[in-house]
Amino acid sequence: MTAWEPPDRPRSRLAYCCPEKMAEDREPPPLADAVQTDFREVEEGEDLFVSTVSTAEQLSPTSPEPASFPAEDISTNSNGPKQEILLDDDQEDLFAEATEEVSLDSPEREPILSDGPSPAITPVTPTVIITPRVDALFDRSLDEDEEAEENGDTFDMQITVSDPEKVGDGMNAYMAYKVTTKTSLSLFSRNEFSVKRRFSDFLGLHSKLASKYMHIGYIVPPAPEKSIVGMTKVKVGKEDLSSAEFVEKRRSALERYLMRTVNHPALVKDPDVIQFLENTELPRAVSTQALSGAGILRMVNKAADAVNKMTIKMNESDAWFEEKQQQFENLDIQLRKLHASVESLVCHRKELSVNTASFAKSAAMLGNSEDHTALSRALSQLAEVEEKIDQLHHEQAYADFYLFSELLGDYVRLITAVKGVFDQRMKTWSKWQDAQVMLQRKREAEAKLQYANKPDKLQQAKDEIKEEIEEWEAKVQQGERDFEQISKNIRREVERFEKQRVKDFKVVIIKYLESLVHTQQQLIKYWEAFLPEAKAIA
Amino acid sequence: MKGSNEDSAQSVNGSSIKITDVTQDGDTLTFAITSQKSSSSAGVCVFRTYEDFEWLQQGLFSQEDVPGLQGVIFPPLPSKPLPSTSLSQAKALKQLGFLALGDEWMIYCKALELYLQQVAAHTTLSKSKALYSFLNSSESPGKQCGKKGILNRLSQAMEEMRKEGHKDVDEFFQSERDSSTNLSALFKLSTEKFLDVVLNKQRLALACGHFSTSLHLCVNQDNPTAVAFSKICLKLSDIIEAVKINYEKVSDNDISTLGLGLDLESRYQEAKREMLFRRTCKLVELETANRNSERAKPNKKAIMEGVQKATQKEFDIISSVAKQEIEHYHRDRVSLLRDFLICWCEKQLSTARESSALLSQHLDACKKFAV
């Protein structure tokens, strides 16, 4: 845990915003507690709220400044307090508060502080890391591409992540993965190519995509989770089963992440994505030291929650959105429950593997000690059969885990992204509303000027007001357009997401069944081999 | 019971002994036992509780007119059944092992049945009046206070443990004792490990059940995609249910064949060790008598020699009975284990085939499932 203490000032502001949280039983200081809860696994809404308020505080939310309040870019305001809170003496990472893992990373629920000093340490101002690109150009071209996609162009792209390789030594070491792309799409210069990437490159890609597309309603697949524990083991060279498992789990997660990303018709065309897949050298993403994909999304959602709780409730004119949000809430709960069930299943399977191995050993000892020859043989065979069965159990646990647990985990994280996108829509709406309010004020100001008593300044003031009114009228129109655009995008995205979900689950179920059938057929072979041995006991 | 001249008519057909039913009344289990005499096809049915079985076992221990009784390997009686409440489930497992598992005491009944069959198959023990009374008397013999057996259980007397290591005069017996000690420990260990495996499988079945239920709850009819997703969840729920049933069957197979077999083997090994121990005790007694006889003062010498001769005779009879018993034991246990192993393998094979067929069906159905 970082040992820094927050300055006193924000605490009082915190009290203002959520007096109920200042109950006596809460450990002081609340802000520190809030940030510390950030570091732990936070699942209760309450704790989240406390910390989000503290975060949002720094953004001076009381003044409606829509222009400088882009969706995911929480820290654009270079207010003093914000910097003080986040920057420690040793802390290069601006996004310290975003360093929690999403709860579904079950074995490694530990806080991510930072990966330690990295070679390219540069304190980067937020505007450089994440630039909101509200390019109208982008919007239009994306729309066209989507329609082309819907006209039935076949998607032909296969990405594999393989050959994890440790690069460097000690705490500066990292894993490099080979990313191979096979495609016939004309977007790419070749049909088959591969590059070497490290984990932070993936995070960097995600943060770029999130900044570009989330605020217009695209569901950007979250990048895999960072893990201090897992990665440290790998770095210090611990060559054991758990670190091998960790690397494999990560490799698989990275592969799925890329495949999901390129499956998105807009994202696959994004220059950052193309660059990521094709370029041999990639500029090092420095700010992602402790940043994780879902961590960004968490941040986004938290800020969104804070904003929503402070602004007026949105007047939902479209029932579809309300229904969908409720459905996703329900789905979230269901998937988490399923995930918990599967984790328990996997746990028992691993246990079974251990117990079976133990039994096999004792049976082998029996076989060795037994005097009667045929019985001894049979017992030794029994030991072998059990050993093979143990191997099968181990593989089955692998199947359960990698197939279901990871799938369910992916989807829970995806739903977080979906929720984020819905929140973006609300933000867009409130931006639009704020512009309308502003316009109204300007108009009132103009009306007031009619009755002013200072004629020499009047004309100048009138001109100014007129300009401002035009400016705000434009903003209102833009706000309305943005809102409609994001609503439209979300509808399409959700439809695509739901279809994809059904496909994904079906694919996994078939894989799982195939592994089950395979297991049973192996078992049959083993038993058929053992039977004559048992019968041969005379 | 009178009628030693009725001995031939009394002999029961060992394999006909069956425990056909068990009822539980509070803490007491009552077993319905049917049997037939080898000479007739008429069957007899009696009702017995565990106390009756204990009475029988004591009766067998305390037969007076059987020479070398101490050399007999007595078929092991299973431990007292504990009626399973949630508290005693763990205790029951500890005490009874595999016999505590299975539905409705079926495995336990099987073990009791095997016990009776083994007693009835034993050349000496089958002639016991206690057995006849047990199988035929309409009254519950356990109520009669029987003579307590003169034979101590191995585990009870602590000072007896010293004698266990006493060196033998006979190579055959020494090696039997050594291998017995070794094997018995290994079998016990294997039985425990196998029990762990089986319990684990049962836990897995339970976890599958939970998963399957959770999937069942994921049904949502709001729109076409939700319907499609619901169908998938239900399908998966069925599959997991099939997996669960498979685990249950597999563990049932384990319990009723190999589990029971290992348990029996473990207990039989113990019985053999007890017999060998009794003989060793006799050996110690004999050596003591020899020493006494040598050292005895002239006035006591004759008595001591008398004791020595009697003890020697007893020891020799016991040893010869023991040798026979050991040979039978080796033969019987091998064939018993063989039967259990074959049964286990066949059952697991059949379950695996069923499961494979069912899962393949599911797989085909899923592949056709249009998205």
Side-chain angles (χ1 to χ4, degrees):
Chain A
M1 298 284 185
T2 44
W4 53 268
E5 289 292 324
D8 278 334
R9 198 180 359 155
R11 209 195 297 179
S12 53
R13 296 177 74 184
L14 183 68
Y16 165 72
C17 271
C18 51
E20 70 272 19
K21 294 292 181 289
M22 295 300 282
E24 288 79 359
D25 52 349
R26 215 139 169 74
E27 304 163 26
L31 189 58
D33 196 42
V35 182
Q36 280 171 8
T37 52
D38 254 354
F39 282 76
R40 286 193 295 279
E41 255 332 293
V42 178
E43 288 171 47
E44 290 81 47
E46 279 190 34
D47 289 344
L48 268 182
F49 178 54
V50 168
S51 55
T52 49
V53 172
S54 69
T55 320
E57 282 291 342
Q58 318 311 323
L59 306 173
S60 49
T62 46
S63 66
E65 275 282 2
S68 61
F69 196 0
E72 67 294 346
D73 199 6
I74 294 177
S75 49
T76 20
N77 294 356
S78 49
N79 293 338
K82 174 71 169 172
Q83 302 281 355
E84 275 167 50
I85 295 295
L86 291 181
L87 290 180
D88 200 11
D89 288 341
D90 306 324
Q91 187 74 290
E92 273 74 29
D93 197 347
L94 211 51
F95 289 94
E97 285 183 356
T99 61
E100 53 181 288
E101 305 207 40
V102 173
S103 54
L104 285 182
D105 213 44
S106 36
E108 294 130 336
R109 289 167 174 255
E110 272 145 55
I112 312 163
L113 302 175
S114 114
D115 257 349
S118 117
I121 297 168
T122 32
V124 189
T125 56
T127 44
V128 171
I129 304 164
I130 293 178
T131 17
R133 303 196 207 164
V134 194
D135 266 39
L137 183 64
F138 257 96
D139 280 351
R140 265 185 266 122
S141 66
L142 290 167
D143 273 350
E144 285 163 7
D145 294 331
E146 309 259 348
E147 281 164 26
E149 174 71 28
E150 280 156 22
N151 287 342
D153 291 343
T154 49
F155 177 77
D156 170 24
M157 194 155 174
Q158 189 64 36
I159 300 185
T160 42
V161 173
S162 58
D163 306 336
E165 205 181 22
K166 187 170 162 197
V167 175
D169 272 317
M171 289 310 285
N172 288 341
Y174 62 89
M175 281 307 231
Y177 301 87
K178 181 166 153 194
V179 177
T180 311
T181 316
K182 289 191 188 134
T183 177
S184 61
L185 293 177
S186 52
L187 285 166
F188 301 93
S189 48
R190 287 163 291 165
N191 279 0
E192 191 170 332
F193 45 91
S194 40
V195 293
K196 280 272 187 193
R197 293 283 178 258
R198 53 184 291 186
F199 186 66
S200 54
D201 294 335
F202 290 82
L203 295 183
L205 175 66
H206 175 264
S207 79
K208 288 186 199 148
L209 294 177
S211 73
K212 281 195 247 181
Y213 297 103
M214 272 197 68
H215 67 275
I216 49 171
Y218 284 66
I219 303 172
V220 175
E225 288 308 308
K226 265 222 155 197
S227 164
I228 281 290
V229 175
M231 222 26 225
T232 310
K233 275 197 197 159
V234 173
K235 284 184 184 187
V236 302
K238 202 165 175 223
E239 297 272 336
D240 68 346
L241 200 65
S242 69
S243 52
E245 265 184 40
F246 169 78
V247 171
E248 171 54 31
K249 184 177 160 189
R250 171 162 286 188
R251 182 209 67 78
S252 175
L254 291 173
E255 197 173 280
R256 292 194 309 272
Y257 164 66
L258 285 180
M259 280 305 288
R260 287 219 170 86
T261 306
V262 300
N263 258 299
H264 193 297
L267 295 181
V268 70
K269 297 182 172 92
D270 184 283
D272 282 319
V273 171
I274 297 177
Q275 194 184 51
F276 180 91
L277 292 172
E278 278 190 332
N279 289 22
T280 327
E281 290 298 320
L282 209 63
R284 176 87 204 288
V286 297
S287 66
T288 63
Q289 261 110 19
L291 199 60
S292 70
I296 288 191
L297 291 172
R298 263 277 169 107
M299 244 171 38
V300 169
N301 287 334
K302 280 190 301 185
D305 285 340
V307 167
N308 291 333
K309 282 170 170 114
M310 286 188 295
T311 54
I312 311 158
K313 203 66 178 107
M314 172 172 170
N315 300 327
E316 186 57 78
S317 52
D318 192 339
W320 185 92
F321 283 91
E322 228 173 289
E323 281 170 21
K324 274 298 167 197
Q325 271 187 282
Q326 189 56 51
Q327 281 173 24
F328 279 116
E329 282 296 326
N330 295 342
L331 187 63
D332 192 17
I333 295 170
Q334 284 171 349
L335 289 182
R336 281 175 196 267
K337 224 200 250 169
L338 288 179
H339 188 266
S341 285
V342 173
E343 291 284 288
S344 143
L345 204 66
V346 169
C347 203
H348 287 307
R349 278 247 211 232
K350 284 192 176 159
E351 232 186 287
L352 183 59
S353 175
V354 168
N355 283 338
T356 311
S358 187
F359 173 61
K361 239 193 242 167
S362 65
M365 287 199 294
L366 261 182
N368 286 340
S369 305
E370 178 60 54
D371 297 318
H372 189 278
T373 336
L375 188 58
S376 164
R377 240 179 85 95
L379 287 169
S380 301
Q381 293 289 350
L382 187 151
E384 269 182 46
V385 166
E386 287 294 318
E387 262 166 38
K388 288 187 194 152
I389 292 179
D390 161 42
Q391 189 55 33
L392 276 181
H393 285 146
H394 198 70
E395 285 166 12
Q396 193 65 57
Y398 185 101
D400 290 340
F401 180 68
Y402 279 175
L403 294 181
F404 281 120
S405 182
E406 292 287 270
L407 175 74
L408 290 167
D410 284 351
Y411 266 90
V412 173
R413 281 185 285 270
L414 271 169
I415 287 183
T416 313
V418 171
K419 285 197 213 171
V421 141
F422 275 92
D423 289 336
Q424 290 300 316
R425 180 174 169 271
M426 270 204 237
K427 277 225 203 87
T428 313
W429 178 85
S430 94
K431 198 166 139 183
W432 174 30
Q433 296 304 309
D434 291 342
Q436 285 182 325
V437 164
M438 214 44 196
L439 178 62
Q440 185 63 25
R441 278 198 206 155
K442 296 295 177 191
R443 287 204 173 127
E444 282 167 11
E446 188 192 38
K448 273 202 200 130
L449 279 179
Q450 306 294 352
Y451 304 102
N453 286 336
K454 298 190 181 126
D456 43 318
K457 289 198 181 149
L458 192 62
Q459 193 52 45
Q460 186 192 16
K462 274 195 186 168
D463 290 337
E464 271 179 30
I465 276 288
K466 264 219 162 40
E467 268 178 42
E468 283 177 11
I469 286 180
E470 276 172 25
E471 190 191 321
W472 282 103
E473 276 174 351
K475 282 192 180 155
V476 166
Q477 280 172 8
Q478 183 63 43
E480 188 175 0
R481 272 203 301 276
D482 286 346
F483 181 71
E484 279 171 17
Q485 183 65 38
I486 195 177
S487 299
K488 180 170 152 215
N489 286 346
I490 289 180
R491 276 181 185 267
R492 199 173 37 206
E493 283 289 283
V494 164
E495 201 185 309
R496 199 180 59 84
F497 173 80
E498 309 227 271
K499 284 212 187 94
Q500 193 61 41
R501 171 161 56 108
V502 172
K503 249 197 244 166
D504 277 354
F505 272 76
K506 187 190 169 201
V507 163
V508 165
I509 287 175
I510 289 185
K511 270 204 205 138
Y512 181 63
L513 265 177
E514 283 172 349
S515 112
L516 280 176
V517 170
H518 169 79
T519 303
Q520 290 304 315
Q521 288 174 339
Q522 282 299 110
L523 276 175
I524 291 174
K525 282 209 194 102
Y526 296 153
W527 292 123
E528 283 176 345
F530 182 68
L531 192 56
E533 293 293 332
K535 289 193 168 155
I537 304 170
Chain B
M1 291 285 291
K2 38 198 168 297
S4 47
N5 48 346
E6 290 173 32
D7 273 350
S8 51
Q10 287 182 21
S11 68
V12 67
N13 180 356
S15 55
S16 74
I17 302 177
K18 297 261 179 283
I19 295 185
T20 50
D21 194 21
V22 59
T23 50
Q24 182 167 354
D25 179 22
D27 276 358
T28 327
L29 291 172
T30 309
F31 305 94
I33 306 170
T34 55
S35 60
Q36 292 171 324
K37 296 201 184 52
S38 40
S39 49
S40 79
S41 57
V44 175
C45 182
V46 293
F47 296 92
R48 298 286 178 255
T49 63
Y50 187 75
E51 280 75 31
D52 299 327
F53 278 89
E54 279 182 318
W55 173 90
L56 171 61
Q57 186 77 326
Q58 286 304 320
L60 294 174
F61 283 161
S62 55
Q63 290 172 92
E64 283 164 345
D65 46 356
V66 179
L69 185 69
Q70 298 194 39
V72 169
I73 301 177
F74 289 87
L77 179 65
S79 299
K80 189 177 166 83
L82 298 172
S84 54
T85 62
S86 55
L87 282 167
S88 60
Q89 176 71 327
K91 242 205 284 177
L93 269 175
K94 216 170 174 203
Q95 173 142 329
L96 296 170
F98 273 101
L99 303 185
L101 297 173
D103 283 333
E104 310 277 338
W105 297 103
M106 260 175 35
I107 305 296
Y108 189 80
C109 289
K110 191 88 189 122
L112 280 181
E113 195 179 280
L114 280 166
Y115 163 74
L116 288 175
Q117 287 175 351
Q118 282 163 348
V119 172
H122 194 281
T123 36
T124 316
L125 300 177
S126 59
K127 302 194 179 96
S128 130
K129 295 172 192 150
L131 180 65
Y132 184 85
S133 177
F134 181 89
L135 289 174
N136 294 287
S137 165
S138 48
E139 267 175 41
S140 191
K143 303 290 187 270
Q144 313 166 20
C145 43
K147 267 185 289 183
K148 277 292 176 189
I150 48 170
L151 312 165
N152 288 325
R153 292 195 74 80
L154 191 71
S155 42
Q156 282 167 3
M158 275 306 287
E159 81 259 16
E160 308 278 348
M161 298 305 273
R162 286 185 290 111
K163 295 184 190 163
E164 241 227 293
H166 189 91
K167 193 146 171 23
D168 209 301
V169 295
D170 186 330
E171 230 184 86
F172 169 77
F173 281 104
Q174 184 63 54
S175 84
E176 279 296 323
R177 281 163 63 190
D178 293 338
S179 84
S180 229
T181 314
N182 187 26
L183 265 184
S184 134
L186 288 177
F187 263 100
K188 210 161 179 210
L189 184 67
S190 293
T191 312
E192 279 167 22
K193 296 283 178 202
F194 193 58
L195 184 62
D196 287 340
V197 170
V198 169
L199 290 173
N200 198 331
K201 287 183 194 171
Q202 291 186 332
R203 282 197 295 272
L204 252 177
L206 214 64
C208 284
H210 287 149
F211 186 34
S212 172
T213 312
S214 303
L215 283 166
H216 222 84
L217 296 173
C218 284
V219 175
N220 181 330
Q221 309 287 333
D222 291 332
N223 59 57
T225 349
V227 168
F229 188 65
S230 300
K231 274 205 201 133
I232 286 190
C233 285
L234 286 175
K235 192 78 187 135
L236 185 59
S237 177
D238 288 341
I239 294 168
I240 300 294
E241 189 68 24
V243 170
K244 166 187 156 201
I245 290 175
N246 180 54
Y247 269 118
E248 285 172 349
K249 277 208 193 125
V250 165
S251 69
D252 283 346
N253 292 345
D254 283 338
I255 295 168
S256 65
T257 57
L258 188 59
L260 184 57
L262 283 176
D263 177 82
L264 195 67
E265 172 68 20
S266 292
R267 287 185 292 116
Y268 230 124
Q269 298 233 353
E270 274 304 299
K272 178 187 170 208
R273 275 183 71 202
E274 281 176 24
M275 181 280 279
L276 287 170
F277 181 69
R278 290 194 292 269
R279 181 184 160 278
T280 308
C281 288
K282 202 58 165 180
L283 176 61
V284 170
E285 200 186 309
L286 176 62
E287 286 178 357
T288 313
N290 287 346
R291 274 200 303 275
N292 289 346
S293 168
E294 275 167 35
R295 291 190 212 139
K297 298 198 176 94
N299 56 336
K300 294 273 174 91
K301 195 115 184 163
I303 302 170
M304 287 294 122
E305 278 181 359
V307 169
Q308 182 200 14
K309 277 212 179 79
T311 316
Q312 181 73 53
K313 195 164 166 217
E314 279 170 18
F315 180 71
D316 289 339
I317 293 178
I318 287 174
S319 291
S320 81
V321 167
K323 237 194 185 122
Q324 264 192 331
E325 285 285 288
I326 287 175
E327 272 162 34
H328 289 161
Y329 164 82
H330 279 304
R331 210 186 43 219
D332 289 345
R333 76 178 273 262
V334 168
S335 91
L336 197 71
L337 276 175
R338 175 180 183 271
D339 290 343
F340 276 123
L341 280 172
I342 292 176
C343 203
W344 179 57
C345 185
E346 283 174 347
K347 276 197 172 162
Q348 297 293 34
L349 186 53
S350 144
T351 303
R353 285 189 177 135
E354 268 175 37
S355 188
S356 173
L358 182 61
L359 289 171
S360 298
Q361 271 181 4
H362 277 296
L363 182 57
D364 290 337
C366 266
K367 280 185 173 160
K368 292 199 192 103
F369 188 63
V371 169

